[in-house]
């Protein structure tokens, strides 16, 4: 650590100088760096798969779906859209301002710090890097030390494919992270839990640094009754994919728990049991279709959630654990105590509680009684319920009849609200997150609003009132003395 800290300030000064030189603002530099990322993803694909398998036990198909594929898509979008994103846009001014023009000019923020998470160590590292580079910033990336193989690969490859004087990877644990937070940045982008998010926000306050916090929380899934067998099969697959198929539930947008009407709960449970075996096999660890737990500390945390005596009796499927291989099989619980940790803390693992309600509409009150979620998933054909969810709940996003897929959509923002975080990114929103929209107004010297200057009188007040209300006819009447100020 001492060696890293020793070289840290010279490295940061080199990054600042790269930004001050103006090269990162040039479209040619931005394109070259994005193309470098694209090449990295293509040429290092096998090594990325290997690192993700080593850190999290992810199958290469899952790794491509959730990380390499989404990143490739994002880089291609940035490359094809960069000219448009970088262009200033005209802003309308009222006729009263004639002759004047205005525009909004996007400019980079400067030197930005990106602190990423371990559950999607490439996706959550490089997705914001894409936006930061496209916006013309110099970048420091601090990957999570909890995914060491992935962190090491990022540190080794990024200097080879990108401009190492403008983009750097700094590895290390919490102590390095704390040291980085004591430095001055023009933007901090953090992905992780709320506890560390508070530390980041406190540190940023010293320099009034703008921050984006991508946190998490307990994302509920509302499961309405379905009549046709086709609908049931489709939604069950999507529920299981949105829980156990997303890094074994170790995802901020994974389904945390299900809300269902009492009468439909037995049917839902039977469907979940049956489809879980089809998707993940009789022995999920051997099929390698589900990731493992990141480390022993997180494994024991999840084990303690189930070892709670008040929770054990609610386990209705699974519950098997392999501590040596850090693997927990898909586990379903029915009505665990609402005050138990499994229902108050973010689960972040393959444990799926089902909570039954008298009627499905009660789910709105249930959700509103808890901190705002990063995502709400609603499986229903009831249009009235859909409208109520949109208008009566607050969350980072709402997805109807699917889960997780909102993360891959470039045209909608990804981010939280309240305790699930603030700020947004993905697609153009990533570019905007690392951009300052500078207002530019150009004014002619040919005319003057003489009535805006002292000395004051009632005549100038009347003209000002008409001008601010865009009452041009009234303005003319006042000017001609045909209308007096009341």
């Amino acid at each position: 650590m001492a060696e890293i800290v020793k070289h840290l300030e010279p490295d940061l000064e080199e990054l600042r100088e790269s930004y001050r030189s103006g090269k990162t603002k040039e479209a040619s530099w931005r394109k070259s760096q994005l193309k470098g990322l694209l090449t990295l993803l293509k040429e290092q694909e096998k090594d990325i798969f290997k690192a993700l398998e080593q850190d999290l036990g992810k199958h290469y198909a899952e790794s491509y779906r959730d990380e390499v594929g989404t990143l490739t898509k994002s880089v291609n979008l940035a490359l094809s859209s960069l000219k448009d994103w970088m262009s200033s846009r005209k802003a309308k001014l009222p006729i009263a301002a004639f002759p004047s023009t205005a525009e909004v000019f996007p400019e980079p923020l400067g030197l930005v710090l990106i602190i990423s998470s371990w559950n999607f160590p490439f996706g959550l590292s490089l997705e914001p890097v894409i936006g930061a580079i496209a916006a013309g910033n110099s970048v420091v990336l601090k990957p999570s030390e909890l995914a060491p193989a992935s962190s090491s690969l990022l540190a080794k490859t990024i200097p080879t494919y990108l401009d190492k004087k403008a983009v750097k990877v700094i590895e290390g644990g919490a102590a390095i992270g704390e040291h980085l937070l004591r430095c001055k940045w023009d933007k901090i982008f953090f992905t992780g839990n709320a506890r560390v998010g508070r530390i980041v926000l406190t540190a940023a306050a010293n320099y009034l640094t703008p921050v984006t916090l991508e946190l998490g929380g307990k994302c509920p899934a509302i499961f309405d009754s379905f009549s046709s067998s086709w609908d049931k099969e489709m939604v069950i697959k999507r529920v299981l994919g949105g829980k156990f198929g997303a890094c074994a539930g170790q995802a901020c947008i994974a389904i945390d728990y299900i809300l269902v009407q009492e009468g439909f709960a037995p049917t839902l449970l039977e469907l979940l049991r049956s489809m879980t075996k089809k998707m993940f096999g009789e022995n999920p660890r051997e099929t390698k279709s589900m990731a493992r737990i990141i480390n022993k500390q997180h494994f024991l945390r999840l084990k303690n959630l189930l070892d709670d005596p008040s929770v054990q009796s609610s386990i209705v499927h699974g519950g098997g654990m392999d501590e040596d291989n850090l693997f927990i099989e898909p586990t379903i619980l029915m009505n665990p105590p609402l005050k138990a940790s499994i229902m108050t803390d973010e689960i972040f693992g393959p444990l799926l509680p089902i909570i039954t309600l008298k009627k499905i509409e009660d789910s709105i009150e249930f959700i509103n009684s808890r901190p705002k979620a990063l995502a709400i998933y609603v499986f229903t054909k009831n249009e009235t319920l859909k409208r109520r969810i949109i208008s009566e709940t607050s969350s980072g996003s709402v997805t109807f009849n699917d889960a997780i897929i909102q993360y891959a959509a470039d045209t909608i923002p990804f981010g939280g609200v309240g305790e699930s975080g603030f700020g947004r990114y993905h697609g153009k929103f990533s570019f905007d997150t690392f951009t300052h929209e500078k207002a530019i107004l150009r004014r002619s010297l040919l005319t003057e609003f003489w009535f805006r200057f002292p000395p004051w009188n009632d005549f100038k007040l009347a003209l000002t009132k008409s001008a601010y209300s865009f009452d041009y006819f009234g303005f003319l009447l006042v000017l001609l003395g045909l209308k007096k100020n009341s």
Side-chain angles (χ1 to χ4, degrees):
M1 176 184 165
E3 189 66 21
I4 295 175
V5 171
K6 178 182 176 182
H7 294 288
L8 184 58
E9 192 50 48
D11 284 347
L12 296 186
E13 185 54 36
E14 182 179 48
L15 290 164
R16 292 188 187 100
E17 182 54 38
S18 290
Y19 178 74
R20 286 194 292 265
S21 73
K23 71 173 181 179
T24 66
K25 297 181 181 180
E26 297 172 1
S28 58
W29 182 88
R30 304 186 201 194
K31 286 183 178 179
S32 69
Q33 302 308 296
L34 292 171
K35 288 177 180 177
L37 275 176
L38 204 58
T39 305
L40 185 159
L41 293 169
K42 182 178 181 181
E43 294 183 353
Q44 299 296 324
E45 183 179 283
K46 289 184 179 178
D47 285 338
I48 291 173
F49 291 164
K50 184 178 178 181
L52 290 169
E53 196 281 330
Q54 187 175 333
D55 286 332
L56 287 152
K58 288 187 180 182
H59 190 279
Y60 58 84
E62 180 181 347
S63 295
Y64 188 86
R65 182 197 67 180
D66 294 347
E67 306 212 42
V68 176
T70 57
L71 288 169
T72 300
K73 172 182 62 64
S74 294
V75 177
N76 282 325
L77 175 66
L79 278 168
S80 64
S81 307
L82 189 61
K83 182 178 179 180
D84 179 56
W85 292 354
M86 288 179 63
S87 300
S88 61
R89 67 177 189 274
K90 290 184 178 180
K92 290 183 178 180
L93 289 173
I95 296 174
F98 181 83
S100 300
T101 60
E103 62 181 306
V104 178
F105 179 79
E107 67 175 9
L109 294 171
L111 175 58
V112 304
L113 171 64
I114 296 171
I115 303 175
S116 64
S117 184
W118 51 263
N119 49 339
F120 297 89
F122 292 94
L124 296 179
S125 293
L126 297 182
E127 191 73 48
V129 167
I130 292 167
I133 288 174
N137 299 278
S138 54
V139 183
V140 167
L141 169 64
K142 160 66 174 70
S144 173
E145 73 280 9
L146 299 185
S150 299
S151 177
S152 177
L153 185 59
L154 285 165
K156 183 180 74 173
T157 56
I158 282 182
T160 302
Y161 290 89
L162 301 183
D163 181 353
K164 59 186 178 182
K165 292 185 177 181
V167 182
K168 291 186 183 296
V169 178
I170 297 178
E171 291 189 280
I176 290 296
E178 290 172 8
H179 192 85
L180 286 169
L181 288 173
R182 288 196 288 270
C183 300
K184 189 179 187 307
W185 306 93
D186 297 299
K187 172 81 177 189
I188 298 175
F189 188 104
F190 170 78
T191 303
N193 61 49
R195 180 187 63 81
V196 181
R198 288 181 172 88
I199 295 172
V200 172
L201 202 56
T202 301
N206 290 327
Y207 292 107
L208 296 180
T209 304
V211 176
T212 292
L213 295 181
E214 294 293 342
L215 307 177
K218 297 180 76 64
C219 299
I222 300 171
F223 201 102
D224 203 356
S225 57
F226 289 87
S227 56
S228 79
S229 57
W230 170 262
D231 290 343
K232 290 175 185 177
E233 181 176 346
M234 290 292 288
V235 296
I236 291 296
K237 282 183 179 179
R238 293 174 183 182
V239 166
L240 294 175
K243 178 61 174 183
F244 306 125
C247 195
Q250 300 171 105
C252 58
I253 52 173
I255 293 173
D256 193 275
Y257 61 92
I258 293 176
L259 297 173
V260 64
Q261 194 164 304
E262 287 178 354
F264 193 70
T267 301
L268 172 62
L269 177 58
E270 187 54 41
L271 289 169
L272 287 171
R273 282 172 169 165
S274 174
M275 188 58 70
T276 297
K277 292 179 181 178
K278 287 182 181 179
M279 290 180 70
F280 301 101
E282 292 289 344
N283 189 333
R285 189 173 73 82
E286 290 183 358
T287 63
K288 296 183 178 181
S289 288
M290 197 173 88
R292 63 166 172 79
I293 308 306
I294 182 66
N295 57 30
K296 189 169 183 178
Q297 179 184 348
H298 282 266
F299 180 93
L300 293 176
R301 178 186 61 81
L302 292 164
K303 183 176 183 295
N304 288 336
L305 293 179
L306 291 184
D307 284 346
D308 181 340
S310 66
V311 171
Q312 284 184 342
S313 60
S314 66
I315 299 174
V316 291
H317 178 82
M321 297 188 177
D322 180 350
E323 187 170 339
D324 291 336
N325 292 290
L326 299 177
F327 189 86
I328 300 176
E329 67 179 347
T331 301
I332 303 171
L333 306 95
M334 184 68 73
N335 286 320
L338 296 183
K339 292 184 178 180
S341 295
I342 199 169
M343 286 307 300
T344 58
D345 300 341
E346 183 177 13
I347 294 174
F348 229 68
L351 316 179
L352 180 60
I354 299 173
I355 304 299
T356 60
L357 305 170
K358 293 293 183 183
K359 56 183 187 296
I360 199 64
E361 289 77 11
D362 292 341
S363 59
I364 294 173
E365 182 181 351
F366 189 97
I367 289 170
N368 287 340
S369 67
R370 286 155 174 75
K372 295 178 180 179
L374 180 58
I376 296 175
Y377 303 112
V378 188
F379 295 87
T380 184
K381 289 187 173 183
N382 186 329
E383 295 301 324
T384 300
L385 180 60
K386 290 179 183 179
R387 288 193 295 270
R388 289 193 62 192
I389 292 294
I390 293 171
S391 64
E392 298 179 30
T393 66
S394 178
S395 59
S397 66
V398 177
T399 299
F400 292 105
N401 295 323
D402 211 333
I404 304 293
I405 62 165
Q406 77 276 14
Y407 182 86
D410 297 313
T411 53
I412 55 177
F414 180 86
V417 61
E419 291 189 27
S420 60
F422 52 81
R424 55 187 190 170
Y425 71 127
H426 287 198
K428 173 65 159 51
F429 302 102
S430 293
F431 178 90
D432 294 341
T433 287
F434 294 99
T435 296
H436 166 61
E437 291 192 328
K438 181 161 60 179
I440 300 173
L441 192 144
R442 296 179 175 89
R443 181 95 171 93
S444 169
L445 295 174
L446 295 176
T447 61
E448 183 55 272
F449 307 139
W450 52 269
F451 54 89
R452 65 186 174 131
F453 301 116
W456 303 117
N457 54 46
D458 290 345
F459 180 55
K460 289 183 177 180
L461 175 59
L463 289 173
T464 302
K465 284 185 174 182
S466 298
Y468 274 150
S469 61
F470 306 124
D471 180 8
Y472 302 122
F473 182 69
F475 182 89
L476 182 61
L477 293 178
V478 173
L479 195 62
L480 295 174
L482 300 176
K483 178 182 179 182
K484 294 186 178 180
N485 181 30
S486 60

